[in-house]
Amino acid sequence: MVTAPSAPQHLVRRAVEEIWNDEQLAVADEIFASTYINHGGLITDLVQGPEAIKTSVVLYRRAFPELHLTIDELTCVGSTSELHWSARSAHPGVRFESTQSGGTDALVGVTWTQEAHGQIQESWTEWNQADVLRRLGLMASPEAMHASGPV
């Protein structure tokens, strides 16, 4: 017996596949509440509402050409979903390969979402932000910081 995905799973799947991967930004207006807030990311609580989702997608895709998210695992309990994802990008200095394609240099993360009234209300995302900043040259590696000695 095949069961249909729950409403939260369906919303999360649409966010990944339609918004992040296919750049159908208008979908954000459908699936994210006007009061939506992301409690994770580089600047906690900065992403608020569907317009901020659209801006985030544009900015990440500009920084990471050919960005593609893969749903590695998606579970749901009640109105809360847990998404384990991996990403790949064609950025020349920051190559990410999907864990499902056998790559060893994947950017991976976990996103938890809370759904109500048929829309995503809140999310929390954790991923290795420091590693990405180091790969972009925006943060020194631990080895480089150690080699430079105390400030």
Side-chain angles (χ1 to χ4, degrees):
M1 179 174 134
V2 177
T3 58
S6 67
Q9 283 178 316
H10 180 69
L11 292 171
V12 170
R13 197 169 289 283
R14 286 190 71 198
V16 170
E17 294 171 358
E18 296 177 36
I19 299 171
W20 283 94
N21 290 341
D22 294 341
E23 294 183 77
Q24 297 177 36
L25 301 180
V27 173
D29 295 320
E30 294 175 39
I31 67 174
F32 287 91
S34 61
T35 57
Y36 166 80
I37 187 165
N38 179 4
H39 301 290
L42 290 172
I43 303 174
T44 302
D45 297 337
L46 179 66
V47 177
Q48 298 183 14
E51 289 303 317
I53 291 291
K54 295 174 195 178
T55 300
S56 293
V57 170
V58 169
L59 292 174
Y60 276 101
R61 294 188 68 80
R62 185 171 294 150
F64 305 105
E66 298 176 35
L67 177 67
H68 183 85
L69 298 179
T70 300
I71 297 172
D72 295 326
E73 182 179 350
L74 178 56
T75 58
C76 180
V77 175
S79 62
T80 302
S81 66
E82 181 175 308
L83 167 67
H84 292 258
W85 53 267
S86 56
R88 66 175 170 75
S89 168
H91 188 287
V94 187
R95 299 235 18 130
F96 301 126
E97 298 296 332
S98 169
T99 55
Q100 290 187 346
S101 67
T104 58
D105 195 26
L107 170 64
V108 296
V110 180
T111 301
W112 296 270
T113 61
Q114 184 68 42
E115 179 266 343
H117 312 293
Q119 293 184 307
I120 297 173
Q121 304 290 324
E122 295 181 274
S123 66
W124 298 260
T125 300
E126 292 185 11
W127 52 283
N128 191 343
Q129 299 160 6
D131 182 47
V132 172
L133 293 173
R134 276 193 291 279
R135 292 182 199 203
L136 287 170
L138 300 173
M139 175 185 247
S141 69
E143 296 80 18
M145 288 189 292
H146 181 70
S148 66
V151 180

